Amino acid sequence: MFSVALVGGLHSDVRRTAVDRLLAAVPGGVALHHDLAAAPRTAVVVRTVRDATGVLATGETPLVNDCACCALREDLVPELERLRDSGPARLAVVELWDSVEPKAMAEVVAAAGFRIGAVITAVDPALLLPYLGNGDDLADVGLAAAATDRRTVADAWARQLEYAPVLAVAGGSEVDEEDRALLDQLHPTALRVSVEDGAALARAALAGFDPEAAAAAQHPACARLPQEADGHGVATHVWRHHRPFHPGRLYAALEDLACAAVRSRGRFYLADRPDTLLAWDAAGGALRVESAGPWLASLPDAAWEMVPPLRRAAVALDWHPEHGDRGQHLVFTSPGLDREGLSEVLGSCLLTDAEYAGGRASWGRFDSAFDAFLEV
């Protein structure tokens, strides 16, 4: 059976090693790579197809709407179809360019009818903290995937790391226990495979991957967030509460909270918009807050049938008699994390007893500090 494995990650040396080991371990395996590095200058994306013996073919595809990543999407499926139909290849390894995130590519490949064997992110643990702390724009370091790409290095790297269920991990003398603890706490459910273990990588690459289930598991309403942890100087703090945040006080604390940990994520709600589920996503000191739709408690019963089963199951396990599924669930992971300080700041942003007793009618009169943030 022809399968596709996606191997990505900003740690390019480790990524290439993982692809090399896969090609050596899987007879007939081929690798497809689209290099976006020169696209802003040449207006083309360079395609390379290789196997364990070397380069088999090269080619170019033009930019689409001034977007290198769009060109990749347009060219990827026809190339995979050609590889599938032209020979006995068992596995096509799509080596994603540095800043390309695997979620979008996995969904493109699955929509075209291909079986995805795995999504793998290559990781050098010694570079994990420097990349998570890097707030530089991808455009400023030559890694933007499109002219409109406004992501930072930390932002792109966090999503590459957390989406993949398999991590190809490098060793080496530079890796210490703090690096390993940080990786363990950021993605505790991932299968970790040594990047040098071709046989283990091959087994993982052919095991099977469900993009729909992966997307559901990433949705802010039911994301599988890390649990409380502590080890080798690295800590993960899980902060939960059912009372709503005061929009003005939380907005004033955003900078301190975004910089309190190298990585934080979760979901929350504000008193002045209690029916809106808000997603919290911070890395490298930069915070993104987005609306993720309504809380289920705000929907009529008939609408629940349109909600994915995974979310309904998650809600059933954590339903509050007064607030339903509304709640604050934020997770902070970092070396040297100040749990007490975090809890104090977050607690001070909740409604006071007097504010809470005023009820929804009074909450709606709070200053809507997040309007500009959410582009309302």
Side-chain angles (χ1 to χ4, degrees):
M1 178 185 293
F2 182 82
S3 294
V4 179
L6 282 74
V7 181
L10 279 163
H11 300 171
S12 55
D13 290 344
V14 187
R15 187 187 70 230
R16 293 188 192 106
T17 299
V19 174
D20 289 343
R21 298 297 182 269
L22 275 171
L23 293 179
V26 180
V30 292
L32 172 62
H33 178 60
H34 289 82
D35 192 331
L36 280 57
R41 184 180 70 257
T42 63
V44 295
V45 173
V46 178
R47 177 200 323 113
T48 303
V49 180
R50 63 188 178 99
D51 64 8
T53 66
V55 175
L56 301 176
T58 60
E60 296 179 345
T61 187
L63 291 188
V64 176
N65 299 323
D66 198 30
C67 172
C69 205
C70 301
L72 189 164
R73 289 190 185 96
E74 292 288 324
D75 194 63
L76 180 59
V77 169
E79 280 299 306
L80 288 174
E81 290 173 342
R82 186 186 64 78
L83 290 172
R84 179 192 61 196
D85 299 339
S86 64
R90 180 185 176 197
L91 177 68
V93 181
V94 176
E95 181 188 350
L96 299 175
W97 189 69
D98 298 43
S99 67
V100 174
E101 294 180 22
K103 181 177 183 292
M105 295 301 109
E107 291 171 353
V108 167
V109 171
F114 291 98
R115 177 186 184 271
I116 300 181
V119 173
I120 301 170
T121 292
V123 183
D124 182 345
L127 297 177
L128 181 56
L129 183 57
Y131 275 59
L132 274 179
N134 190 336
D136 291 342
D137 289 342
L138 289 172
D140 292 339
V141 294
L143 293 176
T148 57
D149 194 343
R150 297 293 181 264
R151 294 173 298 156
T152 66
V153 172
D155 189 30
W157 171 236
R159 286 200 291 273
Q160 288 177 339
L161 177 72
E162 292 157 5
Y163 179 77
V166 180
L167 303 179
V169 183
S173 57
E174 301 85 359
V175 179
D176 59 25
E177 291 302 320
E178 180 181 284
D179 298 327
R180 295 187 180 92
L182 182 59
L183 182 60
D184 288 345
Q185 292 183 34
L186 286 169
H187 198 345
T189 62
L191 171 66
R192 292 164 187 75
V193 179
S194 168
V195 73
E196 300 293 345
D197 191 341
L201 281 172
R203 288 193 296 271
L206 295 167
F209 175 83
D210 183 349
E212 289 188 7
Q218 290 284 309
H219 191 281
C222 51
R224 297 169 186 165
L225 299 172
Q227 301 296 308
E228 196 83 15
D230 203 338
H232 302 287
V234 180
T236 294
H237 180 48
V238 179
W239 190 84
R240 306 192 69 170
H241 211 286
H242 283 290
R243 184 172 292 193
F245 281 124
H246 185 287
R249 289 198 295 274
L250 180 63
Y251 190 81
L254 288 182
E255 184 174 354
D256 288 343
L257 291 171
C259 296
V262 295
R263 180 69 172 132
S264 58
R265 47 190 163 137
R267 53 189 175 266
F268 68 103
Y269 79 114
L270 301 169
D272 64 325
R273 55 184 87 219
D275 293 336
T276 302
L277 190 161
L278 296 171
W280 176 289
D281 194 309
L287 170 66
R288 183 176 60 197
V289 171
E290 294 178 334
S291 170
W295 295 98
L296 293 194
S298 69
L299 298 177
D301 292 346
W304 283 50
E305 293 302 319
M306 296 181 286
V307 176
L310 179 63
R311 183 173 177 185
R312 295 202 303 269
V315 163
L317 292 172
D318 195 31
W319 189 262
H320 189 275
E322 180 181 356
H323 301 287
D325 58 331
R326 298 180 185 91
Q328 325 295 4
H329 186 175
L330 300 174
V331 177
F332 299 79
T333 298
S334 188
L337 191 70
D338 180 4
R339 280 190 173 97
E340 291 185 5
L342 261 174
S343 295
E344 183 177 346
V345 172
L346 289 164
S348 72
C349 297
L350 293 170
L351 295 189
T352 64
D353 290 344
E355 290 167 339
Y356 184 72
R360 283 199 181 195
S362 65
W363 303 348
R365 294 193 291 270
F366 291 140
D367 180 35
S368 298
F370 278 76
D371 280 356
F373 207 101
L374 295 168
E375 298 181 350
V376 173

